[in-house]
Amino acid sequence: MDPAALDAERARVDGRLASLRHELASLAEEQALTSHDDEHDPEGVTIAVQRAQLQGLLAAAERDRAELDDASRRLADGSYGVCAECGGPIASERLEALPAARTCIGCADRRRPRSRR
């Protein structure tokens, strides 16, 4: 993968992180200024539910950023594109779709739990 593409993906994730942090801060400010009882508001979800959803999205974005940082380290040390499980190559199409991928498709499929039929 082109290092510029990895940087572009990191910039996209950084934008998502900034947006989610802003939304959380705005929600906290809104909660501080609101005196109504939103726990019993029949009009919609509670602020607590919104906060929990945003915190979950933020945690996922932070994991994405950490995985991209790790991919950058692998790119620098020459191990990017090498499957961490079998040592074989990771297909360029997989890396384009999932720039932080650590495993080839075969190893990823073997790790995925099978559904019961």
Side-chain angles (χ1 to χ4, degrees):
M1 167 175 259
D2 175 19
L6 200 54
D7 289 341
E9 182 66 13
R10 186 181 302 103
R12 187 185 68 74
V13 170
D14 284 346
R16 192 171 76 204
L17 281 166
S19 176
L20 289 166
R21 287 178 180 134
H22 176 75
E23 285 185 60
L24 266 171
S26 295
L27 190 61
E29 185 177 316
E30 177 184 329
Q31 188 174 17
L33 298 173
T34 303
S35 62
H36 74 280
D37 178 13
D38 81 327
E39 295 297 323
H40 299 95
D41 184 358
E43 295 300 316
V45 297
T46 65
I47 290 176
V49 170
Q50 288 176 312
R51 184 177 49 249
Q53 288 173 335
L54 287 171
Q55 287 171 331
L57 291 170
L58 181 62
E62 287 171 341
R63 280 190 305 272
D64 290 347
R65 173 57 198 247
E67 289 173 4
L68 288 166
D69 289 344
D70 188 52
S72 291
R73 284 189 288 277
R74 291 192 314 273
L75 187 64
D77 72 18
S79 64
Y80 185 79
V82 177
C83 179
E85 303 250 337
C86 71
I90 300 173
S92 60
E93 296 85 3
R94 179 165 171 77
L95 292 172
E96 283 181 36
L98 301 167
R102 298 182 57 83
T103 59
C104 65
I105 291 173
C107 289
D109 281 345
R110 282 191 290 280
R111 289 178 41 202
R112 190 172 303 138
R114 300 287 180 210
S115 62
R116 293 184 180 187
R117 292 185 182 190

